[in-house]
Amino acid sequence: MLNLSVLLEDGARSVPDKECLVFGDLRLNYALTDMIANQVANLLVARGVRPGDRVALASPNLPYFPFVYFGALKAGAVVVPLNVLLTPREIAYHLEDSGATALFAFTGTPELPLGERAFEAFQQVDTCETYIDLPAAAGATESAIDGAETLWKALDGQPGTFETVQANADDTAVIIYTSGTTGRPKGAELSHHNLMTNAIVAAELFNPHPDGRDVALTVLPLFHIFGQTVVLNASLYRHGTLVLMPRFDADEALKLMDKEGVTGFAGVPTMYWGLLNAVQSAEPGTYDLEKIAGEIVDACSGGSSLPGQLAEDFAKTFGVEIKEGYGLSETSPVVSFNNPRVRAKTGSIGLPVWGVEMKLIDPDWNDAEDVGEIAVRGHCVMKGYHNRPEANAEVIRNGWFRTGDIARRDEDGFYFIIDRSKDMIIRGGYNVYPREIEEVLMTHPEVSLAAVVGVPHETHGEEAKAFVIRGADSTLTEQELVDWAKERLAAYKYPRQVEFRTELPMTATGKILKRELT
């Protein structure tokens, strides 16, 4: 028997008075955080939620997220985290597809009217019977949404103790929806065993607690599996403190690092790029960089490939080498890790983590030698996509999950991502991998960030086009960058088109949204 909520419960038993959550001036210890989660569990049972029922949660990185996340798990329910940027139509789809019977949603702000969108979706789905508003005002009992009930009013009178439902290790704990870049999003069913084991593995790999200190800046969205496992669950396993940040802002992140003595930071590459830009463009003395760099002992990156130049620049500025990991929603997510303190190679996603196997395959599932699609087997692999037997048959065979990522493996067993198979550009019959071009462009002294996509071409089928953010005070022209890339890439690889932008579209998790680049 195993329930993922033991991560919070163990902290409440072992270190009840230690700070668990920090948000602004609000500081909650493990005992209080667990007590509120118990109240949520009692509320759900009182509203008729049974073990196995799905509970949807739409919240940015606020204390509400762990309250509801662990409260639902305690009640034996399955948590369905929702991206806070979804439209009413998209939220309704997730509720219907998952079969959610309850929805907890943050009221939002004028800039992010999440509650209005969520409540509109809730009213469209007959099978979802309970809507709970997570209000913007602390302790609010009256909802700003007509017809909605706030969490604090609903919790009034609910006991602060609860007998956690003992689930089977293979029972589904969380359904994480994929981004849906190819067709409608699919829900990856992750078990208590998947998530618990992966959190423990991540806690050992990403371990920011010198002399007992363990303070993680929680800026990766907790509705995404990267943030859930590597930050939330792994930190709770270590009895660490989570400093919650609802939305990434490089300036605010640096200030929080200074104020709270952050020892660990996990982010996607664009977040590291943002931190570097903030430091490099700031007036001298804006940040106590010596203090910030002195506190941070661990930094890891995932979600998308980390450009080598970015990793090198960050290490020079902050004195910390970024550990690069690799994983997917379907793998809980950690599959491999590249740890500079143990055994690492620049540009690699490293070696498989404990209990996980990796190999390369061709389109017909045959083993490939040096280059192929990554396939994964082990404790991290999902149970399958929710109600998608055909899709499961396509991606899972004999316990192996095919990832869609193309990689090469060197003589030491290290894996190097070449690109997503779906992002690959076919130019005149040649395979062109955008990541290779991006890595080269990022080494140009006047290029700050680059993203490469394929665009239609009359004779070649596709052509590589680069979208670039220039560095401060740069006068670089499109043709100059094309000529520069031509000298460093094969004739069929270098981008013939360059477009300069002041910003690039990004997902809520900070990954560049290439499908919006044309």
Side-chain angles (χ1 to χ4, degrees):
M1 308 298 284
L2 178 69
N3 191 308
L4 187 65
S5 65
V6 73
L7 291 169
L8 176 60
E9 293 167 354
D10 181 67
R13 287 190 295 265
S14 305
V15 287
D17 297 326
K18 185 174 182 182
E19 285 187 345
C20 178
L21 306 175
V22 174
F23 177 67
D25 295 329
L26 184 67
R27 312 184 86 88
L28 302 175
N29 63 25
Y30 271 84
L32 184 55
T33 303
D34 188 55
M35 186 197 78
I36 298 173
N38 285 336
Q39 288 184 298
V40 172
N42 280 305
L43 170 65
L44 289 171
V45 172
R47 297 296 171 89
V49 171
R50 299 165 298 177
D53 285 354
R54 270 74 71 194
V55 173
L57 170 58
S59 172
N61 291 2
L62 300 169
Y64 288 129
F65 193 97
F67 294 163
V68 177
Y69 183 85
F70 289 107
L73 290 171
K74 286 170 178 279
V78 176
V79 183
V80 184
L82 301 180
N83 189 316
V84 298
L85 300 182
L86 296 177
T87 65
R89 178 186 62 81
E90 292 168 325
I91 294 172
Y93 165 75
H94 285 75
L95 296 177
E96 291 172 342
D97 189 75
S98 66
T101 59
L103 169 61
F104 290 75
F106 176 57
T107 296
T109 62
E111 300 78 26
L112 182 69
L114 175 58
E116 295 175 12
R117 290 184 271 117
F119 193 62
E120 179 183 338
F122 166 74
Q123 292 176 309
Q124 298 172 17
V125 182
D126 294 337
T127 52
C128 195
E129 300 176 346
T130 301
Y131 181 89
I132 302 293
D133 173 25
L134 307 176
T141 56
E142 297 299 322
S143 176
I145 301 169
D146 188 33
E149 178 183 21
T150 74
L151 177 69
W152 300 118
K153 185 173 183 179
L155 292 184
D156 186 35
Q158 292 294 341
T161 59
F162 185 80
E163 186 70 30
T164 297
V165 173
Q166 292 304 298
N168 291 313
D170 196 44
D171 287 346
T172 302
V174 173
I175 297 178
I176 292 285
Y177 275 83
T178 61
S179 59
T181 53
T182 55
R184 305 195 81 178
K186 299 184 289 293
E189 293 198 33
L190 304 176
S191 70
H192 292 269
H193 173 67
N194 285 149
L195 294 167
M196 179 68 77
T197 307
N198 213 247
I200 293 172
V201 168
E204 296 299 322
L205 294 170
F206 179 59
N207 199 12
H209 56 84
D211 304 322
R213 285 181 47 72
D214 189 342
V215 183
L217 184 60
T218 310
V219 66
L220 284 168
L222 293 178
F223 58 73
H224 190 274
I225 193 59
F226 187 6
Q228 265 176 66
T229 293
V230 177
V231 185
L232 175 64
N233 292 337
S235 292
L236 294 186
Y237 173 76
R238 297 190 309 261
H239 301 158
T241 299
L242 296 153
V243 178
L244 299 170
M245 190 173 182
R247 181 176 177 274
F248 178 73
D249 176 273
D251 177 62
E252 289 301 316
L254 288 163
K255 290 176 180 176
L256 275 175
M257 288 178 182
D258 185 353
K259 178 186 175 184
E260 300 295 341
V262 168
T263 62
F265 182 84
V268 295
T270 53
M271 291 178 181
Y272 288 100
W273 172 77
L275 293 174
L276 270 175
N277 267 6
V279 169
Q280 292 168 352
S281 61
E283 292 293 327
T286 302
Y287 308 112
D288 189 345
L289 194 58
E290 184 176 349
K291 178 185 174 184
I292 293 171
E295 292 283 2
I296 294 181
V297 296
D298 239 333
C300 78
S301 176
S304 59
S305 298
L306 177 70
Q309 188 64 49
L310 176 58
E312 182 180 328
D313 292 343
F314 188 87
K316 288 179 181 177
T317 302
F318 288 88
V320 177
E321 291 187 274
I322 301 172
K323 300 174 177 177
E324 185 171 10
Y326 167 74
L328 307 93
S329 296
E330 294 91 338
T331 58
S332 308
V334 185
V335 169
S336 67
F337 212 63
N338 196 46
N339 188 346
R341 295 182 186 171
V342 182
R343 189 176 175 218
K345 292 192 178 185
T346 302
S348 171
I349 57 169
L351 302 166
V353 299
W354 179 88
V356 172
E357 298 175 79
M358 296 172 68
K359 68 177 181 178
L360 300 176
I361 60 172
D362 67 15
D364 297 318
W365 286 90
N366 300 310
D367 289 357
E369 285 300 320
D370 300 317
V371 176
E373 181 181 350
I374 296 176
V376 179
R377 182 167 67 179
H379 57 72
C380 61
V381 175
M382 66 174 179
K383 295 173 63 176
Y385 292 120
H386 182 63
N387 289 337
R388 296 287 198 285
E390 299 85 1
N392 292 334
E394 290 177 6
V395 299
I396 299 177
R397 183 177 296 185
N398 298 324
W400 288 96
F401 168 73
R402 63 186 317 155
T403 65
D405 288 323
I406 305 300
R408 65 179 177 86
R409 182 180 55 232
D410 71 9
E411 64 280 0
D412 296 318
F414 280 77
Y415 285 80
F416 296 77
I417 293 289
I418 296 176
D419 226 315
R420 289 284 298 174
S421 61
K422 299 178 181 67
D423 290 342
M424 185 176 69
I425 301 166
I426 302 178
R427 183 186 187 278
Y430 290 96
N431 293 346
V432 178
Y433 296 101
R435 190 202 175 188
E436 181 183 2
I437 303 173
E438 291 162 359
E439 287 275 359
V440 171
L441 295 178
M442 287 286 289
T443 64
H444 191 290
E446 294 185 51
V447 170
S448 181
L449 190 64
V452 174
V453 300
V455 294
H457 190 276
E458 289 184 4
T459 58
H460 298 303
E462 285 185 292
E463 189 65 86
K465 180 177 181 179
F467 293 82
V468 175
I469 296 178
R470 287 178 289 198
D473 303 321
S474 171
T475 58
L476 183 67
T477 68
E478 290 91 341
Q479 191 57 51
E480 285 173 344
L481 186 56
V482 169
D483 293 342
W484 186 87
K486 183 177 181 180
E487 295 176 0
R488 291 159 176 81
L489 290 163
Y492 68 92
K493 292 181 182 179
Y494 75 88
R496 267 67 171 180
Q497 300 179 38
V498 170
E499 181 178 325
F500 292 121
R501 296 272 185 99
T502 56
E503 60 182 20
L504 296 176
M506 296 185 188
T507 67
T509 57
K511 291 195 288 187
I512 295 173
L513 202 57
K514 288 190 174 183
R515 66 172 178 265
E516 292 189 7
L517 295 174
T518 55

